[in-house]
Amino acid sequence: MDEFELWVRAAVEVLPSMERLLAATGFALQALAVLFVWVVGIVALAAVAMAAADRWQTADAVRRNYPLIGRFRGLFTQLGEFFRQYFFAMDREEQPFNRAQRSWVGRASLGKPNTSAFGSTTPLTVAGQPIFVSAPYAMSEEAACATEPMRIGPHCETPYDAPSFFNVSGMSFGSISRPAVKALSRGAAKAGIWLNTGEGGLSDWHLEGGCDLVFQIGTAKYGVRDDDGRLSAARLRGIAAHPQIRMFEVKLSQGAKPGKGGILPGRKVDATIAGIRGIPARIDSVSPNRHAEIDGDDALLDFVSRVRAITGKPVGFKTVIGDPACMDVLCARIVERGEAEAPDFVTIDGGDGGTGAAPMALMDHVGLSIREALPAVSDALHRHGLRERVRVIASGKLVNPADVAWALAAGADFVTSARGFMFSLGCIQALKCNRNTCPTGITTHDPALQRGLVPKVKAERVAHYARSLIREVETIAQSCGVEEPRRLGRRHVRIIGEGGRSRPMDAIWPRPEPAPRSEGPRLAVASEPEG
């Protein structure tokens, strides 16, 4: 049998299989065609139904006058905030954080070099922009030194020698997810920085990484409350027994909503969160707008002293500044009572701070920005001779090296950031923090969405971000001719004014001389109404 006959026989044997394949293909095509017709029909019916509904509804005039087409306006409005950051907005146009800020954090979190080419894209003529004063002869890298630990709470039984000037600000477990807390805890331990628990209480995942922790006592006193919502000495003592808890922060207010308590939607309050906070599950968790025990300066100092006596650890408070004169009044009262009763630190949050959910009126229009509040608070402490006793922590949109270096020069001892570390976890500024639908798994309790956040991987990014920022702040300090970042002062910064001309920061905010203790500043009129 020759080769041709073999090919013919093979073709004849395969022919039935080919016929069956063609028949199956034809059937599949017919089924797809029928399905397509059904889909088109269903879409057409849905369009007719929506157009009829739009014509008859009375709530939206655009949809009533332009049925179906008017719906695209709402769709495009929702999608616009996402399209802008990818296609339309320039690198430094977006709010609350622009692409340049997010990109810097992204590269730093990956441990990549943060160099750029072809010149700065930062406008150097915008009023308020800080410019650092480069020294004629920069500090050599050999002469520069790492930032030394700074002691907080010298009068405490257990003072805290804080190793880093840059740390993680308060983000509550509940507001952020379990894997996010795990990643922050592990990353903070790797970088040698502290992690603030936020007002949601202490979870096992805060402790898991082994980092230093600052326990925040919010107005609802989650985690340290009794059945009536007041401070429980026994529970507070139990929290303080953890060696990782290094300090306690009494939260009076936060930047995005001064004068209003936090809100955690009931859909986020699962059994675990309810147990940690000491509240019912599946019910909205609403904090009071202030501490019931604290209605004035003396009550605040009494509360701070009480927490310090129970815990033996440094205690301070966090607040948003409205009238800087109030800080002078508080400092005068501290001097009268004695330095031992002073708070060990004060955390100043800017009025433009961030949170998952806050009324726009408070977020946009209440409280001074950190750029004004920080120098004012530092100066008040100087005037009353308390600057060395009370440490100053700055918080509020300080996510890049220049922001942190400015804060240290303006008068801060430490800087904390929340949203900077959220970006290091992978936050894309989707603006869905309050909806339990965060696409990066940071602020959601949906297990399917949390799956995208792998703590082991993200912990490395957290550590990289902290180390990179600290290193670049040290570089700024060296450029200004000082050995380490805390040596930066207001003389090392110039602020752009109107017309693009800069002025020295120490001329805009001159450092006050301490008042004689025997006299003290005359401040009675500061607390009196105008008349």
Side-chain angles (χ1 to χ4, degrees):
M1 184 179 297
D2 58 21
E3 185 175 350
F4 177 75
E5 289 179 350
L6 289 174
W7 276 103
V8 171
R9 288 188 178 183
V12 171
E13 292 175 357
V14 170
L15 187 59
S17 299
M18 291 294 294
E19 289 177 347
R20 287 193 296 271
L21 178 61
L22 290 173
T25 302
F27 177 78
L29 290 174
Q30 289 179 350
L32 288 173
V34 172
L35 179 61
F36 177 76
V37 171
W38 273 98
V39 169
V40 170
I42 292 171
V43 170
L45 286 174
V48 171
M50 286 189 290
D54 289 345
R55 175 66 74 181
W56 287 102
Q57 60 85 34
T58 57
D60 190 327
V62 174
R63 286 169 51 200
R64 186 174 173 84
N65 289 334
Y66 301 94
L68 194 60
I69 296 175
R71 290 175 178 263
F72 286 96
R73 176 181 176 277
L75 176 64
F76 292 154
T77 299
Q78 291 181 344
L79 295 177
E81 62 191 31
F82 307 114
F83 288 147
R84 280 193 295 273
Q85 70 170 304
Y86 296 116
F87 300 115
F88 304 116
M90 299 293 288
D91 281 351
R92 299 187 184 273
E93 286 183 343
E94 293 177 89
Q95 293 292 342
F97 293 91
N98 59 49
R99 184 186 295 118
Q101 292 173 303
R102 299 194 310 271
S103 296
W104 188 93
V105 176
R107 291 192 299 271
S109 301
L110 294 173
K112 294 182 177 180
N114 248 316
T115 57
S116 58
F118 219 67
S120 173
T121 60
T122 300
L124 299 180
T125 56
V126 176
Q129 178 76 25
I131 297 176
F132 292 91
V133 179
S134 57
Y137 307 100
M139 180 63 60
S140 68
E141 294 182 356
E142 292 76 13
C145 57
T147 306
E148 294 294 325
M150 177 173 278
R151 172 156 292 191
I152 307 175
H155 296 279
C156 298
E157 295 177 14
T158 311
Y160 178 37
D161 293 321
S164 173
F165 62 79
F166 185 62
N167 302 279
V168 187
S169 189
M171 290 179 279
S172 303
F173 172 57
S175 295
I176 63 173
S177 65
R178 182 183 306 179
V181 173
K182 285 183 176 183
L184 289 171
S185 177
R186 296 177 187 179
K190 290 176 181 290
I193 62 178
W194 82 56
L195 167 64
N196 190 307
T197 64
E199 63 180 309
L202 179 67
S203 71
D204 292 340
W205 304 285
H206 286 111
L207 298 166
E208 177 184 284
C211 66
D212 290 346
L213 295 169
V214 177
F215 185 92
Q216 188 180 90
I217 303 175
T219 56
K221 301 175 181 63
Y222 294 130
V224 291
R225 57 188 273 147
D226 60 20
D227 294 337
D228 296 323
R230 292 185 174 270
L231 185 67
S232 166
R235 291 178 180 175
L236 181 61
R237 198 173 291 111
I239 293 292
H242 292 283
Q244 285 176 241
I245 301 293
R246 308 306 299 266
M247 301 195 298
F248 288 83
E249 180 181 77
V250 180
K251 193 188 87 166
L252 301 182
S253 58
Q254 68 184 84
K257 48 187 175 185
K260 184 173 178 60
I263 302 171
L264 186 65
R267 62 180 175 274
K268 283 190 171 186
V269 185
D270 59 19
T272 302
I273 293 169
I276 291 170
R277 296 193 176 202
I279 57 175
R282 300 304 173 189
I283 297 176
D284 289 351
S285 177
V286 182
S287 302
N289 68 333
R290 73 170 181 86
H291 290 270
E293 306 92 330
I294 303 176
D295 58 1
D297 291 344
D298 279 307
L300 171 61
L301 297 176
D302 290 342
F303 192 87
V304 167
S305 295
R306 181 188 174 197
V307 174
R308 186 163 48 214
I310 294 171
T311 64
K313 297 183 178 181
V315 182
F317 67 88
K318 176 178 182 177
T319 190
V320 179
I321 300 298
D323 180 3
C326 293
M327 195 66 194
D328 273 308
V329 176
L330 174 62
C331 288
R333 189 66 187 122
I334 292 172
V335 171
E336 292 174 5
R337 292 174 56 137
E339 285 189 5
E341 294 195 45
D344 297 303
F345 63 90
V346 176
T347 302
I348 305 303
D349 200 7
D352 50 359
T355 184
M360 186 176 293
L362 296 182
M363 188 180 292
D364 290 345
H365 302 293
V366 180
L368 297 180
S369 74
I370 194 68
R371 302 286 173 173
E372 184 174 359
L374 174 58
V377 170
S378 179
D379 286 352
L381 293 168
H382 266 284
R383 273 193 292 274
H384 295 269
L386 296 171
R387 188 60 190 85
E388 293 303 315
R389 169 69 180 89
V390 181
R391 302 305 185 193
V392 177
I393 303 173
S395 178
K397 295 187 74 173
L398 304 172
V399 303
N400 295 127
D403 301 324
V404 175
W406 170 87
L408 296 174
D413 297 306
F414 302 93
V415 174
T416 61
S417 176
R419 287 175 289 180
F421 284 97
M422 287 178 70
F423 288 136
S424 75
L425 290 174
C427 170
I428 61 172
Q429 197 168 281
L431 307 180
K432 293 185 176 182
C433 304
N434 59 329
R435 303 178 193 174
N436 203 34
T437 57
C438 171
T440 59
I442 298 172
T443 63
T444 178
H445 293 281
D446 183 338
L449 294 173
Q450 287 184 0
R451 184 177 178 275
L453 200 164
V454 181
K456 182 178 180 180
V457 175
K458 298 302 183 181
E460 295 293 337
R461 293 179 58 116
V462 168
H464 278 311
Y465 167 55
R467 292 182 189 130
S468 296
L469 187 141
I470 291 168
R471 183 169 57 250
E472 293 212 11
V473 173
E474 290 172 344
T475 300
I476 291 174
Q478 294 168 24
S479 177
C480 293
V482 296
E483 296 90 346
E484 54 102 349
R486 285 207 184 99
R487 300 288 181 89
L488 288 169
R490 296 179 187 180
R491 69 185 185 279
H492 296 114
V493 183
R494 297 180 68 89
I495 305 297
I496 300 295
E498 297 297 332
R501 186 170 181 176
S502 67
R503 292 183 61 201
M505 189 177 179
D506 57 357
I508 300 173
W509 291 97
R511 182 71 74 192
E513 292 296 327
R517 284 299 177 85
S518 58
E519 300 178 7
R522 300 180 63 185
L523 298 168
V525 294
S527 59
E528 296 177 357
E530 295 181 4

